[in-house]
Structure formats: structure tokens, C-alpha cells
Amino acid sequence: MGQDTDITMQVDTKNINKHNVDSHVTLTDNRSNKQPSKDPKNFTSQISKGKKVTWSGNARDESDDTIQITNITKKETHEPELLQSRGKGPDSNGKYKANVKDEFIKGVEGYYIEFTINHNKHSVYRVDPKLAMEEN
């Protein structure tokens, strides 16, 4: 039961800077999102126990810019930990993969998505959405 979750980040690469990241990044996923939001810090993706989560990024507006997700990190230590591993990424396409724990865990986990544009390691951006495990 359950399914893998694919989270996609759309980035306005022409207008983003360190001070306006949340207003130039939109997140979507392949699940029926119970908390859709245009603001990344209020975006919660549903995940399934024992499945995988994949993050990828794309530039908005037909841009040739590329988005590389460089890290996925847990935000708060007092929140439940839903992911078994966070070390599968980024791959050559800038995607990042993680495995979800194989037991149901109630609660919401905040985390950070760190990313670069066009492999510019001097400008790392960060958004902080959330994960919640669906009950099967």
C-alpha cells in the first residue's frame, strides 16, 4: 500500500535572491496534497511508510537554468523523524532521494531543501517545507 512521493520545486531563477527565496519557489507533489500552499514553509507533502521520496527542481518560464538539490536536512530535533535515510543524492540530474521509515509515525517533520542554480556553489538557497506520513 502507499506510493512513492515525488516533490518538484519550481524556481523563478531570474528574480530569486537570498532575501526573497520563499516568494520565488513553488512546491508541488504527485500526491493529493491536503495542505496546498504557494509558500514553501506551509507546504506539507504526504509520504507512505516504506516508500521513497524524490526531490527535483526546475526553472520557471522556459529558462535554460538548472536547479541542483544539494542537501535535504531535518529541521528540528524535537519533531518526529520520518525518513530512514537522507543520503541518496544528488544524482547527476540534481535530484535527491530518501527512504521513508517502514513503520507509521504520527506527526509532521520540518526539513530544509538546499539547492543551487547552474551549479553555483557560492549561492546556496534554502526552503523549509514539511513531511507527514499518511495512515494506511
Side-chain angles (χ1 to χ4, degrees), residues 48-100:
S48 299
K49 67 180 183 178
K51 297 297 182 178
K52 295 186 182 332
V53 182
T54 302
W55 292 267
S56 61
N58 300 310
R60 283 188 201 157
D61 303 324
E62 308 289 323
S63 170
D64 289 335
D65 292 329
T66 60
I67 308 301
Q68 299 77 37
I69 297 176
T70 58
N71 204 6
I72 302 293
T73 57
K74 184 173 171 44
K75 186 174 178 185
E76 301 290 335
T77 57
H78 66 277
E79 293 177 345
E81 191 160 340
L82 306 178
L83 299 179
Q84 183 72 33
S85 70
R86 297 173 195 273
K88 294 189 176 183
D91 65 13
S92 60
N93 295 319
K95 292 183 179 183
Y96 208 98
K97 296 179 183 181
N99 294 316
V100 180

Side-chain angles (χ1 to χ4, degrees), residues 6-13 16 21-22 24-30 38 40 43 45 54-60 65-72 94-96 111-117 124-129:
D6 297 319
I7 301 169
T8 303
M9 184 171 52
Q10 295 286 330
V11 180
D12 179 354
T13 58
I16 196 169
V21 176
D22 286 341
H24 292 285
V25 172
T26 305
L27 295 168
T28 58
D29 63 35
N30 64 327
K38 297 248 181 221
F43 184 85
S45 289
T54 302
W55 292 267
S56 61
N58 300 310
R60 283 188 201 157
D65 292 329
T66 60
I67 308 301
Q68 299 77 37
I69 297 176
T70 58
N71 204 6
I72 302 293
K95 292 183 179 183
Y96 208 98
Y111 69 99
Y112 295 113
I113 302 172
E114 295 178 354
F115 64 98
T116 61
I117 299 170
V124 177
Y125 300 94
R126 177 192 271 187
V127 292
D128 58 338

